[in-house]
Amino acid sequence: MPNIGPDDYLLKDIKNGFRASMGPQIVQFDITNKCNNNCLCCWNRSPLLGELSMERKKENNEELKFEVIRKTLEELRQMGTKTIFLAGGGEPFAHPDILKVLRCIKENNMRTFINTNFTLINKEIANQITKLKIDHIHVSLLAGTAKTYAGIHPNKTEETFHQIVNLLKYISSLKEQSGQHLYNPLPHINLYYVIFSKNYKEIDKMIDVAIETKADSVEFTPVDVIPGYTDSLLLGKKESEHALNMLDKQSLRIEQYNIHEPVKISITQKESFIKRISSQEALLGKYESDKVINQPCYVGWVFARIKADGSVNPCLKAHRISIGNIHEKSFKEIWNSTEEQLFREKAFTHNPNDPYFNLIGNDANINFGCIKSCDNIQINQEMHAKYAGLLQKDDNSA
């Protein structure tokens, strides 16, 4: 995570009514809710969700206009934002102006991360994103074989899986031709695997794909279910043990592979995945709840999510909490709005009995929604490591 400023700025902000003296370091844009996939584990389009309501269908077609995105990016640059994530409710490459958006982010000197299913990429687009030196591309693949891929994505075929693998190999060849593999391997390709009951046996095959495509990293994360709909995707105890055992073996395999290969592969967030999947609470879809409960949440000072309808959320799981809309106000106004300051205060105070937290996450039956799965936990851990001591020192001197 980038340096977020002087060590005492957070203390001043807390004493100043939770107004932020700096802009967010990281902003996620859901530039479109349109998607060409129907992954079983998806919160928006999984066939397990049944027939979608008219309201949900409308939401799934929302999209930000390029001029709105451009204006907001320029405003964020002026506020000091360093990193833009393109992710969220849809597939970024389904946006008609995706390449213009990517160029605009780079023109504003921001790091660019994209979460994509990679099915809309062709060689022309692959050439463009390589030339633009997009920083990170998280490829949501979800399977290690074509057969399992087709089963997890009912509207896709085994050929789609082979198409993705071939294009990943093509990007690797472009990086090799430019010499980037030895110096500045952009775009960094991260193969992103949500692990659940339909794919947990294929961790070794997932590593096969990483080696075949010369990916830079592999990331595993446990599924986050919607209660009453996608619960069948949760791993049981034996399934979790099988996945952990296989991960252990594949980690050793990667270590041996890296000894002899110039292009190294890493397994990112490995310890986090192990902790999440090992706990008893993982059987209920709760991950790292001890960390979530036992420390303040700082994410309201460094992160924001802008959705496809223009509404702004203070964290990734706060999709039911809007702190403003960029169609109605500038982002600068929204960033220190009454609603955002309230979120910072509530999150920092972190009272699990506060009904405010019922609005966090996918499960309306959980009073403290943060415990189901915190998608901003890495940012929050880094913030806590940086500021916990300073806050303790400040309390002692008060």
Side-chain angles (χ1 to χ4, degrees), residues 132-366:
L132 283 169
K133 294 186 178 181
I134 300 304
D135 297 271
H136 280 68
I137 300 179
H138 298 274
V139 182
S140 182
L141 200 49
L142 304 186
T145 64
K147 182 179 180 180
T148 299
Y149 181 88
I152 290 172
H153 307 84
N155 68 347
K156 292 294 182 288
T157 66
E158 293 186 19
E159 180 55 35
T160 308
F161 179 85
H162 295 303
Q163 171 191 318
I164 292 170
V165 169
N166 287 334
L167 281 165
L168 288 170
K169 289 162 70 175
Y170 179 68
I171 288 181
S172 178
S173 70
L174 292 177
K175 290 160 69 173
E176 286 181 336
Q177 290 169 22
S178 66
Q180 285 194 63
H181 260 319
L182 297 176
Y183 305 105
N184 188 21
L186 299 178
H188 179 110
I189 300 294
N190 179 57
L191 301 185
Y192 186 76
Y193 294 102
V194 178
I195 300 299
F196 51 99
S197 60
K198 305 294 184 181
N199 66 4
Y200 74 98
K201 293 181 179 180
E202 292 196 351
I203 288 178
D204 57 338
K205 302 298 183 184
M206 295 169 185
I207 297 298
D208 287 346
V209 174
I211 291 173
E212 182 182 359
T213 61
K214 296 184 179 179
D216 298 287
S217 60
V218 181
E219 183 174 349
F220 300 105
T221 190
V223 67
D224 183 16
V225 300
I226 297 179
Y229 294 96
T230 59
D231 311 76
S232 62
L233 301 179
L234 285 169
L235 297 182
K237 184 177 180 180
K238 289 184 178 180
E239 294 167 328
S240 295
E241 290 173 351
H242 179 93
L244 289 169
N245 182 54
M246 190 173 288
L247 177 62
D248 189 50
K249 291 179 179 178
Q250 294 307 308
S251 296
L252 293 174
R253 178 186 174 193
I254 287 295
E255 288 178 14
Q256 292 299 312
Y257 172 85
N258 286 340
I259 292 173
H260 306 288
E261 294 294 328
V263 181
K264 313 300 181 185
I265 300 173
S266 64
I267 299 179
T268 65
Q269 306 299 317
K270 176 183 169 183
E271 295 306 317
S272 176
F273 176 70
I274 292 173
K275 288 178 182 177
R276 286 185 165 202
I277 206 172
S278 299
S279 71
Q280 287 295 316
E281 290 189 319
L283 303 177
L284 303 173
K286 298 179 181 179
Y287 307 113
E288 294 184 292
S289 58
D290 56 332
K291 288 184 179 179
V292 172
I293 290 173
N294 295 323
Q295 67 180 46
C297 176
Y298 309 82
V299 73
W301 275 276
V302 290
F303 176 87
R305 176 186 183 184
I306 301 174
K307 296 172 70 175
D309 64 353
S311 60
V312 182
N313 299 145
C315 81
L316 283 171
K317 284 300 175 67
H319 47 269
R320 290 186 284 156
I321 299 175
S322 176
I323 58 172
N325 193 297
I326 58 173
H327 293 304
E328 300 167 1
K329 296 180 180 179
S330 69
F331 185 87
K332 188 173 183 179
E333 291 177 278
I334 294 170
W335 182 236
N336 270 318
S337 64
T338 301
E339 293 81 1
E340 174 66 50
Q341 290 183 64
L342 176 64
F343 174 83
R344 290 188 191 119
E345 181 177 6
K346 294 282 189 181
F348 186 77
T349 306
H350 219 56
N351 178 1
N353 297 314
D354 190 330
Y356 183 85
F357 293 102
N358 179 246
L359 296 172
I360 303 293
N362 296 315
D363 191 346
N365 296 315
I366 296 291

